Amino acid sequence: MSERKKLLNVKELETTFFTDDGAVVAVDRISFHVHEGEILGIVGESGCGKSVTSLSVMGLVPNPPGKVTHGEILLDDKDLAKLTDKEMRNIRGKDVAMIFQEPMTSLNPLYTIGNQLSEAITLHNKSWSKKQVQARAIEMLKLVGLPRAEELMKDYPHQLSGGMRQRVMIAMALVCDPKVLIADEPTTALDVTIQAQILALMKDLNTRLHTAVMLITHDLGVVAETCERVVVMYAGQIVEQASVRDIFKNPQHPYTQGLIQSVPDMRYKKDSLYSIPGNVPKPGSITTGCRFAPRCAFVHERCTVENPALYKAGQAHEARCFLVEEKAGVVQ
């Protein structure tokens, strides 16, 4: 893995929302990377900053009130955070693309599937003929496993099932062969069977097209099935990152341990599922100490007054917890 190129390299990213009540930091100085051909999972509960991170990479944070206030988002050494809106439009869809959570709200109900796919292709291939554009659109629909692709070009989003709409969204995201694909909870609104099909499709396309994927999810089962490495986020910070194997075999942060304990295990009969007590804090509400301290079973006095840094918990394994501080030095 170390020999593979870092396609996306996020360094010290901070995204702030300027509200009537003051500035609120939603993403707090996080750093991570995605290798060429890799599937990276970003995990955490709702409100942990996962989607804001993805929108920051795409240049889609609503401004006002949101803005990337610090750090770099390097795609092939080009800093996306410093590009103008016009420059970002040339990158978005072509070099980095995104699959959004709910396909019904992401697809325009007034336009056919063919029109929407063709628009995405034409935007980055202005010299293509209408015939070339249509052929590419049909090719992509077939690539994502949709039957009767030629007929689907004339259909409207409401005429398709949820699973079919999600496949169309994947086709739109991949239609210009992006280097990095961001999938924000791509299976949230789908039933279990369709979820499995969509995840299998994404994994297959990742293998065939060698597209790097940043998969945002709250489902550790999806991570175990799909990803190579995991970044665990909590309250706008990265609290742990490691390979999938290390995360499941030897989780170091109490939050990660709680997430894993919350996953149903069919091998053991339990009276009730484990649940992490409390809720994710409102962004900006915890200004001192560890942000997980109010919910942590291992909290002690130091946790309430000092915010831990990311400490090495093993080879290519980092965790933001005083429990692992003694294992090695602070990650710079």
Side-chain angles (χ1 to χ4, degrees):
M1 182 178 294
S2 59
E3 296 179 358
R4 286 191 291 180
K5 178 183 178 182
K6 290 181 182 178
L7 271 182
L8 181 67
N9 196 9
V10 176
K11 298 181 178 180
E12 292 288 307
L13 174 65
E14 178 184 272
T15 303
T16 306
F17 287 85
F18 297 91
T19 69
D20 293 337
D21 297 325
V24 176
V25 178
V27 175
D28 191 2
R29 305 288 176 114
I30 68 169
S31 300
F32 65 91
H33 60 269
V34 187
H35 289 109
E36 187 177 30
E38 178 186 29
I39 303 181
L40 174 74
I42 298 186
V43 180
E45 296 168 276
S46 297
C48 285
K50 308 185 304 297
S51 293
V52 176
T53 298
S54 66
L55 292 174
S56 300
V57 173
M58 292 293 296
L60 293 174
V61 174
N63 183 16
K67 185 179 180 182
V68 173
T69 48
H70 188 271
E72 298 176 319
I73 305 169
L74 301 175
L75 180 65
D76 279 342
D77 297 325
K78 180 183 292 184
D79 190 356
L80 304 186
K82 290 183 172 58
L83 298 183
T84 65
D85 288 342
K86 184 178 180 181
E87 289 171 332
M88 196 61 208
R89 281 196 295 271
N90 293 329
I91 297 289
R92 195 185 300 125
K94 182 180 180 182
D95 293 326
V96 57
M98 186 167 177
I99 304 169
F100 295 92
Q101 288 189 31
E102 177 46 64
M104 196 59 201
T105 56
S106 301
L107 292 169
N108 193 321
L110 301 179
Y111 292 92
T112 64
I113 299 302
N115 281 337
Q116 295 183 66
L117 270 170
S118 298
E119 181 184 19
I121 300 168
T122 304
L123 184 65
H124 297 290
N125 301 278
K126 291 182 170 58
S127 62
W128 284 24
S129 67
K130 188 175 180 180
K131 189 175 181 179
Q132 285 176 301
V133 170
Q134 186 176 28
R136 176 61 173 169
I138 292 171
E139 177 191 359
M140 290 308 301
L141 291 177
K142 289 179 178 178
L143 184 67
V144 297
L146 285 166
R148 57 182 190 86
E150 290 84 355
E151 296 174 41
L152 280 180
M153 291 280 286
K154 302 173 185 176
D155 287 347
Y156 289 86
H158 73 271
Q159 295 176 278
L160 278 59
S161 68
M164 293 174 75
R165 287 195 294 267
Q166 194 61 286
R167 287 172 184 264
V168 169
M169 286 298 299
I170 295 172
M172 287 182 68
L174 293 173
V175 76
C176 293
D177 294 325
K179 298 171 183 176
V180 178
L181 175 66
I182 301 173
D184 187 1
E185 304 270 12
T187 61
T188 296
L190 307 176
D191 62 60
V192 176
T193 305
I194 303 301
Q195 280 186 27
Q197 292 176 4
I198 294 298
L199 289 173
L201 169 64
M202 289 182 61
K203 200 167 183 179
D204 177 59
L205 292 173
N206 164 258
T207 302
R208 281 198 280 167
L209 304 179
H210 213 54
T211 303
V213 180
M214 195 171 106
L215 178 63
I216 296 169
T217 182
H218 62 273
D219 189 338
L220 282 171
V222 168
V223 168
E225 182 72 23
T226 312
C227 302
E228 295 179 43
R229 287 188 303 117
V230 190
V231 169
V232 182
M233 288 190 68
Y234 185 78
Q237 293 182 323
I238 291 176
V239 295
E240 188 163 4
Q241 53 184 336
S243 68
V244 168
R245 178 183 175 86
D246 285 346
I247 284 286
F248 281 91
K249 186 178 179 180
N250 189 27
Q252 294 293 308
H253 197 281
Y255 180 59
T256 310
Q257 294 167 4
L259 290 176
I260 293 173
Q261 282 182 264
S262 303
V263 177
D265 191 334
M266 301 304 293
R267 295 173 298 175
Y268 305 104
K269 185 176 180 180
K270 297 180 182 179
D271 293 331
S272 61
L273 287 174
Y274 175 80
S275 176
I276 302 173
N279 298 298
V280 177
K282 182 180 177 181
S285 62
I286 298 179
T287 56
T288 58
C290 174
R291 295 179 187 180
F292 188 62
R295 306 174 70 186
C296 184
F298 307 100
V299 65
H300 51 84
E301 187 178 353
R302 185 184 180 191
C303 304
T304 61
V305 295
E306 186 180 342
N307 188 18
L310 274 173
Y311 300 105
K312 287 189 179 295
Q315 187 176 6
H317 192 163
E318 304 163 6
R320 189 181 296 275
C321 183
F322 293 125
L323 293 175
V324 298
E325 180 183 9
E326 61 189 35
K327 290 193 175 181
V330 180
V331 176
Q332 299 298 322

